[in-house]
Amino acid sequence: MSELRVFDEADSARARVHTRDFDTIRRELGEVGIRFERWEANRPLTPGAGQEEILAAYEGPVRRLMEERGLQSVDVLGMVPDHPQREAMRARFLEEHTHSEDEVRFFVEGQGLFCIHKAGRVFFVLCEKDDLISVPDGTPHWFDMGPRPRFTAIRLFTSKEGWVARMTGNDIASRFPRLE
């Protein structure tokens, strides 16, 4: 189940908001310009489904979002606990960074923790199956897939080259808990 915890940027010990209620999560995130919604597949996916099958199952919402936002590219990324580069990939995303385009992710299965630093607060958004999150361009954030990651996500991009991370140099991510 999706979860939102909101912290003051100076206090990683106590969440000001802690909820698993979808409508509350969507409202809290919407107030700071972060899109959060749920999608459903138009057909069941077979175990181990590949990119073509996954994109076909979510064709309607993917097409709608691409047209609405002028997105140019889409792919599917999967991560499993025994991936040989999981530690390096996790470390790469754990530093606060921004992008020159929105970071749009839809979780087909599994989970990941988006940590968004905005308006003097840090929003911990645990995204799970059927969750879509869109972090606006220029928004400082980090992503934690956990030490034994398992997820499949649809990624949507404005640029055909995909996103490029720009590190902020802020060490705030090191002061907040990790997904364990």
Side-chain angles (χ1 to χ4, degrees):
M1 177 179 284
S2 312
E3 179 180 15
L4 172 69
R5 291 181 288 158
V6 182
F7 300 88
D8 180 86
E9 67 185 2
D11 183 3
S12 63
R14 189 174 57 87
R16 295 167 44 178
V17 174
H18 186 185
T19 184
R20 292 183 179 268
D21 178 71
F22 173 76
D23 291 326
T24 303
I25 294 170
R26 183 171 52 187
R27 185 183 66 251
E28 289 283 334
L29 294 175
E31 288 175 2
V32 292
I34 299 162
R35 183 179 197 148
F36 189 77
E37 51 189 55
R38 292 238 167 95
W39 291 356
E40 291 184 22
N42 63 20
R43 66 187 83 155
L45 293 170
T46 58
Q51 178 168 300
E52 187 175 310
E53 181 182 350
I54 290 169
L55 292 176
Y58 292 97
E59 178 185 12
V62 167
R63 185 174 11 89
R64 173 186 53 84
L65 191 59
M66 289 183 81
E67 290 171 0
E68 175 188 316
R69 304 288 293 279
L71 301 168
Q72 301 294 313
S73 179
V74 61
D75 70 11
V76 175
L77 173 70
M79 182 59 64
V80 292
D82 62 350
H83 190 286
Q85 296 185 352
R86 71 183 180 280
E87 292 173 11
M89 291 181 75
R90 182 184 190 201
R92 176 178 167 207
F93 299 125
L94 282 174
E95 291 184 48
E96 186 184 69
H97 58 277
T98 64
H99 305 286
S100 60
E101 63 177 81
D102 294 357
E103 184 163 350
V104 184
R105 301 293 180 266
F106 172 72
F107 284 79
V108 175
E109 65 178 355
Q111 68 176 13
L113 180 66
F114 275 88
C115 305
I116 301 149
H117 184 196
K118 190 162 185 172
R121 295 175 283 171
V122 176
F123 297 78
F124 270 37
V125 188
L126 182 63
C127 296
E128 298 192 327
K129 183 181 187 312
D130 297 335
D131 289 343
L132 172 109
I133 189 167
S134 180
V135 179
D137 68 334
T139 303
H141 66 282
W142 62 95
F143 176 73
D144 190 351
M145 61 179 130
R148 298 199 38 82
R150 178 177 297 283
F151 66 86
T152 302
I154 296 174
R155 306 183 306 167
L156 298 108
F157 305 99
T158 303
S159 164
K160 291 190 186 288
E161 293 79 38
W163 61 265
V164 176
R166 290 187 313 261
M167 300 304 167
T168 66
N170 188 333
D171 71 347
I172 189 167
S174 68
R175 298 191 308 264
F176 278 82
R178 300 274 190 248
L179 179 62
E180 299 300 337

